[in-house]
Amino acid sequence: NSRSGLAAFWGVGSNPKAFSLETNKRQRKRSLMSLAQEKSSALAGRLHPVLIIFLMLASALWVARDYQHYWNDSQGRWTSFYHDRHAHCAYAMDMGDALRNGDIVGLINGLQRNIVWPPVHGLVASLAMLATDFDHRTVVFPALLGWWMLLVFGPLAARGAVDSPTGGWIAAITTWLLTAPSPAYRAYSTDCLLEGLGAGLTALCL
């Protein structure tokens, strides 16, 4: 019968007492494993807000470090005249000047003129420059914001792709550790380009 077959499979022969003991032993083992998983999930759930805050702060410190490197040698980024960053910076300055002077016609013309590149990056950059009296070192603020968003929302997207809370945070930490050292994203984060802010908005959508 099935009981004797299971007993033979577990190596307890046909002894009913040994079979019952082995069954109880395995049931207790499964119960302990289930209890451990529940405790781990509950702990991860309680730590969820703390881990999110830690992720945001760690990402902010990482972005601030990259910006400090740019601040120390910001002139070196603007030596190549034939580069997209100059067009993006000029557009941000034009829009910022229109905002400062209340030039509604200039704003509308600027929005209509921006056909090749979407205006979102330029508008955010113009606000940054307007708030800092058109300091060229602040025109990279949209890219820095996008870099921070990518470091925060990218790991959170990876976390959401895993059902287990513990496994989700392992995926999130792994994603952060693989993304943060990226030389390409670090270069975009301190440049007047659309890619930095675009990457952050994409991660937010995910």
Side-chain angles (χ1 to χ4, degrees):
N1 55 26
S2 59
R3 186 171 184 177
S4 60
L6 289 173
F9 176 75
W10 283 340
V12 296
S14 57
N15 189 336
K17 185 176 181 180
F19 176 79
S20 179
L21 289 174
E22 184 66 23
T23 301
N24 292 336
K25 181 179 178 181
R26 289 181 176 272
Q27 288 178 346
R28 286 196 301 270
K29 185 177 180 180
R30 285 195 296 268
S31 298
L32 290 174
M33 292 178 62
S34 177
L35 181 61
Q37 291 177 353
E38 291 178 0
K39 288 184 176 181
S40 176
S41 299
L43 179 61
R46 288 195 298 270
L47 291 177
H48 178 71
V50 178
L51 291 173
I52 290 182
I53 294 174
F54 176 78
L55 179 63
M56 295 171 66
L57 292 177
S59 301
L61 291 175
W62 192 265
V63 170
R65 187 203 64 161
D66 291 339
Y67 184 60
Q68 182 183 11
H69 292 166
Y70 167 75
W71 184 276
N72 295 333
D73 187 26
S74 60
Q75 295 291 342
R77 189 59 57 87
W78 301 93
T79 55
S80 176
F81 182 78
Y82 297 100
H83 198 281
D84 292 350
R85 69 172 64 93
H86 296 279
H88 295 313
C89 183
Y91 179 77
M93 293 177 68
D94 289 342
M95 297 298 285
D97 186 63
L99 287 171
R100 181 172 60 181
N101 297 322
D103 185 2
I104 304 299
V105 176
L107 285 173
I108 296 176
N109 289 334
L111 292 174
Q112 292 178 341
R113 188 177 74 248
N114 205 10
I115 299 175
V116 178
W117 298 299
V120 176
H121 173 270
L123 290 174
V124 178
S126 68
L127 294 176
M129 297 197 75
L130 183 61
T132 57
D133 198 21
F134 292 88
D135 190 339
H136 74 279
R137 292 171 295 188
T138 62
V139 77
V140 300
F141 278 2
L144 287 170
L145 175 63
W147 180 220
W148 179 82
M149 293 171 63
L150 179 63
L151 289 175
V152 172
F153 296 114
L156 290 180
R159 178 190 175 277
V162 180
D163 293 333
S164 169
T166 304
W169 276 111
I170 293 175
I173 294 172
T174 303
T175 301
W176 195 94
L177 292 175
L178 292 176
T179 306
S182 170
Y185 279 123
R186 290 180 63 188
Y188 284 136
S189 69
T190 53
D191 209 338
C192 185
L193 296 172
L194 279 68
E195 288 82 354
L197 183 60
L201 292 175
T202 301
L204 174 62
C205 292
L206 294 176

